[in-house]
Amino acid sequence: MLKAPYVYQDLEDLDENDKPIKKLQPPEWEDDVSKAKRFYTEVIKPLHKGNDPNFHAFGLDELRGAKSTSLNRYFDDKNHPKVFIFTPRPRADETSPTRDIPQNEGRWAYGKEITDLNAELDGIFGYKAPITIVDYYPIMTPLDWPDNDNEEAVSEYQSDKPGSQVSGKILIQYKPAPDCRGQASYRVWFEGALHEEKSWDPLAWRDGYQQIIPPLNNQKRDNGTSCKISSSSSSSSATASSTSVSSSPTTTPITTPTPIPTMVPASPESCYNSQKRGCYKAVDPATAYSKSDDFCNKHMSINGFKDWLGIQFAWNDFSNSTSYNWKVSWKPGCVAGQDSTEINVGQPIPMFSCEDAMRLVIEKCNNGFHGGTALAGCLMYSFSAVNMGDDVSCSSPFV
């Protein structure tokens, strides 16, 4: 759409009282070729190099990898970047009495553009950055709203200029470590609901970098003091050993409970043997990653527990006769940490998510993206892609 519909007064068409008649100017649409070209120029291309010195000065090519110039490489793979795409759903019909109520969940108003954007980002990050696509329902005025004929009022209502509604809003919060022994953290909110939060040890987050501690009542980090990084600084990765905490050299150490088991990377033993069974099919990696992220987003609030049978989900690509399958279950005999008997599917261990587990399986199992199983804490994450043909031996994807 080049121009949205709007109401105007036709000065040459008067009513019986000699007043201009109000008329609706229909929307102006652009052809598919022009639309695709504009999308590439205004969205895809700036991902690489930026396009506005005041708003979008740099692109990802300048902030990661070998193409990075003098800028900090914030989006290098070792920093575990994540991508969030926030996109509107289709609006309800203008005449619908429930048009102002959120609906059309899981649908995108700009499906092709979002698919192209997802593919471009996967190419930039080499399929190593989890991509979360979140759809939201655009604000619409109620059908019986008294000012529906006032174009300016409708525009102001739907754009939410006062910022009184959470619809269509995303908030990312970052909190630096409070001191040289504390942890930095971030939180991501979608439409007023907490989507994700993580904490980490900044001293071991990036080798050679110092954590700046903000001074009291001053959020300007540059004015703070830096923590010294010694050769004895510990890593932030989880271990299966107990730790001790003491407030002074004379205080008796307090031993914390043994944390949940650490993630065991996918190995040849936990990868499906594509030569042994003819069921597995070579699949499009972009689809495998994207659908895995969808699975994790849908089940991220679920907690697993001892003897839990788990959850299983399948998505069928009928055009390629391929069934994509995901499963999360409790490892038989596994015992969680003493302070918790449940493990969250979306975040099984610190700094490692469901998306990370699925991508680990897909990447580490060198079997044509057929899949396998990875362990994170007591949860087993499995992915496979099997033939949808008549072979009944392919009906059980996780063997």
Side-chain angles (χ1 to χ4, degrees):
M1 181 185 295
L2 290 176
K3 286 185 180 180
Y6 61 92
V7 177
Y8 70 99
Q9 291 182 324
D10 191 341
L11 299 179
E12 297 182 357
D13 191 359
L14 308 179
D15 60 16
E16 61 273 12
N17 297 319
D18 291 333
K19 292 184 177 181
I21 296 177
K22 287 185 177 181
K23 295 183 177 180
L24 176 66
Q25 176 67 34
E28 293 184 23
W29 300 93
E30 58 185 329
D31 60 82
D32 291 341
V33 175
S34 175
K35 181 180 178 182
K37 183 177 180 180
R38 187 165 62 88
F39 181 74
Y40 174 80
T41 303
E42 297 180 4
V43 179
I44 298 297
K45 190 175 179 180
L47 283 176
H48 295 269
K49 293 293 184 181
N51 64 349
D52 186 333
N54 297 317
F55 176 70
H56 189 183
F58 305 107
L60 291 170
D61 286 356
E62 301 164 291
L63 298 171
R64 64 174 268 111
K67 295 181 181 180
S68 176
T69 56
S70 59
L71 300 172
N72 285 322
R73 293 160 67 166
Y74 298 116
F75 293 95
D76 275 2
D77 295 339
K78 65 179 180 179
N79 293 333
H80 307 294
K82 288 194 170 186
V83 179
F84 299 96
I85 300 176
F86 214 37
T87 186
R89 306 171 193 164
R91 294 180 186 269
D93 187 271
E94 291 283 345
T95 61
S96 172
T98 60
R99 69 182 192 180
D100 59 311
I101 299 175
Q103 52 196 283
N104 294 328
E105 184 176 359
R107 297 175 57 193
W108 305 333
Y110 307 100
K112 182 181 184 306
E113 288 79 7
I114 295 302
T115 300
D116 291 346
L117 179 60
N118 189 101
E120 191 73 18
L121 288 165
D122 269 334
I124 291 174
F125 287 101
Y127 299 100
K128 294 180 180 179
I131 299 176
T132 301
I133 301 177
V134 182
D135 53 77
Y136 67 92
Y137 188 68
I139 299 173
M140 293 190 72
T141 61
L143 189 62
D144 58 355
W145 195 55
D147 294 324
N148 273 330
D149 291 334
N150 186 327
E151 178 197 359
E152 186 176 347
V154 170
S155 176
E156 184 170 344
Y157 182 99
Q158 296 186 162
S159 61
D160 188 28
K161 291 181 179 179
S164 59
Q165 302 188 53
V166 298
S167 178
K169 294 180 175 64
I170 180 173
L171 173 66
I172 300 178
Q173 296 176 307
Y174 167 71
K175 180 182 179 181
D179 53 49
C180 293
R181 292 188 177 183
Q183 288 190 316
S185 60
Y186 75 79
R187 296 192 298 187
V188 180
W189 301 77
F190 291 146
E191 297 190 305
L194 181 61
H195 170 76
E196 175 179 297
E197 60 180 334
K198 285 189 177 181
S199 300
W200 67 92
D201 179 359
L203 295 180
W205 182 56
R206 267 180 91 175
D207 294 339
Y209 278 70
Q210 293 183 334
Q211 167 71 16
I212 304 297
I213 302 302
L216 187 64
N217 298 325
N218 188 335
Q219 294 303 309
K220 295 183 178 179
R221 287 162 45 94
D222 292 342
N223 294 338
T225 58
S226 61
C227 298
K228 294 181 179 179
I229 300 179
S230 65
S231 58
S232 61
S233 295
S234 61
S235 170
S236 62
S237 59
T239 63
S241 62
S242 63
T243 58
S244 297
V245 180
S246 62
S247 58
S248 69
T250 59
T251 303
T252 302
I254 301 174
T255 302
T256 61
T258 301
I260 60 177
T262 55
M263 181 273 301
V264 178
S267 63
E269 289 75 25
S270 59
C271 296
Y272 302 131
N273 187 341
S274 59
Q275 301 300 321
K276 185 177 180 180
R277 295 182 63 220
C279 298
Y280 298 107
K281 295 190 63 175
V283 298
D284 173 27
T287 301
Y289 287 125
S290 175
K291 295 301 179 181
S292 293
D293 289 350
D294 291 345
F295 167 83
C296 290
N297 289 332
K298 181 176 292 186
H299 301 97
M300 64 182 179
S301 62
I302 297 176
N303 289 338
F305 48 87
K306 190 175 185 296
D307 298 328
W308 179 53
L309 296 180
I311 49 177
Q312 186 170 332
F313 180 77
W315 178 78
N316 297 325
D317 181 3
F318 294 99
S319 65
N320 195 31
S321 297
T322 305
S323 177
Y324 294 78
N325 298 268
W326 297 267
K327 182 179 181 180
V328 181
S329 59
W330 192 271
K331 181 182 179 182
C334 187
V335 179
Q338 299 176 24
D339 55 346
S340 175
T341 58
E342 296 186 349
I343 299 178
N344 179 251
V345 169
Q347 189 76 52
I349 58 178
M351 296 299 293
F352 191 82
S353 65
C354 171
E355 292 94 332
D356 295 330
M358 292 301 182
R359 284 172 176 264
L360 182 68
V361 171
I362 297 171
E363 291 175 3
K364 293 296 184 181
C365 289
N366 186 22
N367 56 5
F369 299 99
H370 304 303
T373 299
L375 178 66
C378 284
L379 296 184
M380 297 190 302
Y381 291 79
S382 303
F383 164 81
S384 74
V386 298
N387 195 332
M388 292 172 58
D390 297 329
D391 188 349
V392 294
S393 66
C394 296
S395 59
S396 299
F398 304 109
V399 285

